Amino acid sequence: MHHRSVSDVMNRDVVTAESGMTFKDIARLLAQHRVSGVPVVDGDGKVLGVVSETDLMARQAVQDDERPRRFPRLPFGGTHAVQTKSHASTVADLMTEPAITVGPRQSLAEAARVMARHHCNRLPVIDAEGRLMGIVTRGDLLGVFLRSDDDIRKEVVDEVLVRTLWLEPRTIDVSVHGGTVTLSGTLQRRSEIPLALRLTSRIDGVVDVIDHLGYQEDDSRLRPSEQALHGITEEWLRRI
């Protein structure tokens, strides 16, 4: 099955900043391009960090109040970071570093986990040398769930049932509503059920999988070598 990777959805036309830019320069850049943050790159295109509206807020937060402890919820790594950014005059002092990045071959699910873990809205995409290739946003990742139910159903039938389980297309009933896939019917072997469910759940755009599957033969107690003789190969078992 082909799963879309970061390179399939990232934006290759990226607005960037340089470390020597001033506070006003970066504020003007964000407003001009209507973006909330940009990667900071050096002369070789390597990503040094990321500067965002949130970083700009840290500087403004203490302009009228020299007690940054009033802003404990700002995600800058604590009061010391707020104080440092509050007096920043260039992007080098203002940016958040190191940048949280992803590679072009990482899956959309992996990129989404990185975003969730670090509470960020965008990720610079870098090559093996750390050079900027593009940027991926939450919107880019969520776009995978805009696939139509018909497209999802076709891939389940073609890739999971026919190419992986070697079944006739009509052996199992596949229905998709709002990205939720329901599998109904009877498989030959019990061990095929978790495989079918797992592979279906990995298809781009699938929100959930409902299991209405039964089986004719319970091969769950067979050893791997015996299962292979019954049609379930070790390669399949490793994918469960």
Side-chain angles (χ1 to χ4, degrees):
M1 289 180 289
H2 171 69
H3 297 286
R4 280 186 283 180
S5 62
V6 168
S7 63
D8 294 321
V9 302
M10 70 181 186
N11 186 350
R12 299 175 186 274
D13 183 18
V14 187
V15 178
T16 62
E18 298 175 357
S19 59
M21 295 175 69
T22 66
F23 179 92
K24 287 190 175 182
D25 289 335
I26 192 64
R28 188 178 300 112
L29 182 69
L30 296 181
Q32 178 182 351
H33 293 277
R34 298 182 180 180
V35 293
S36 59
V38 294
V40 181
V41 299
D42 64 14
D44 295 325
K46 293 184 177 180
V47 177
L48 304 176
V50 174
V51 62
S52 68
E53 291 175 337
T54 306
D55 295 313
L56 299 182
M57 287 172 57
R59 186 180 187 279
Q60 293 302 106
V62 294
Q63 291 301 302
D64 299 322
D65 192 332
E66 292 299 327
R67 294 168 293 178
R69 64 181 179 274
R70 287 192 176 187
F71 308 94
R73 294 186 179 181
L74 293 177
F76 311 122
T79 298
H80 177 71
V82 174
Q83 290 176 319
T84 300
K85 291 178 184 292
S86 69
H87 300 292
S89 59
T90 66
V91 167
D93 297 324
L94 191 63
M95 69 183 180
T96 298
E97 56 177 332
I100 306 302
T101 63
V102 291
R105 295 185 179 180
Q106 287 185 250
S107 70
L108 301 189
E110 289 172 331
R113 284 193 289 270
V114 172
M115 277 191 186
R117 187 182 310 123
H118 295 281
H119 307 287
C120 53
N121 298 321
R122 72 197 63 78
L123 295 170
V125 184
I126 61 173
D127 64 14
E129 303 299 325
R131 290 186 292 266
L132 183 68
M133 297 179 64
I135 196 163
V136 62
T137 67
R138 286 186 177 182
D140 297 326
L141 299 182
L142 291 175
V144 69
F145 293 104
L146 298 180
R147 291 187 71 188
S148 70
D149 289 343
D150 288 341
D151 285 344
I152 294 173
R153 182 185 183 282
K154 185 177 186 303
E155 186 168 351
V156 172
V157 172
D158 293 345
E159 300 295 338
V160 177
L161 301 186
V162 176
R163 295 190 181 182
T164 303
L165 296 178
W166 301 339
L167 300 173
E168 292 294 329
R170 298 181 182 275
T171 303
I172 298 299
D173 180 66
V174 180
S175 61
V176 185
H177 299 285
T180 297
V181 181
T182 301
L183 301 178
S184 307
T186 303
L187 292 171
Q188 179 67 31
R189 291 166 288 272
R190 182 176 183 176
S191 57
E192 293 174 326
I193 294 178
L195 180 60
L197 299 176
R198 177 65 63 85
L199 294 179
T200 298
S201 69
R202 292 178 177 177
I203 288 177
D204 291 339
V206 171
V207 176
D208 194 11
V209 182
I210 298 175
D211 175 17
H212 287 166
L213 294 172
Y215 57 89
Q216 297 179 18
E217 177 184 347
D218 186 356
D219 62 343
S220 60
R221 296 185 179 181
L222 297 177
R223 294 189 299 272
S225 59
E226 294 175 318
Q227 288 178 327
L229 291 175
H230 284 73
I232 302 298
T233 67
E234 292 186 9
E235 179 182 357
W236 282 6
L237 293 173
R238 286 195 296 269
R239 300 162 86 179
I240 297 177

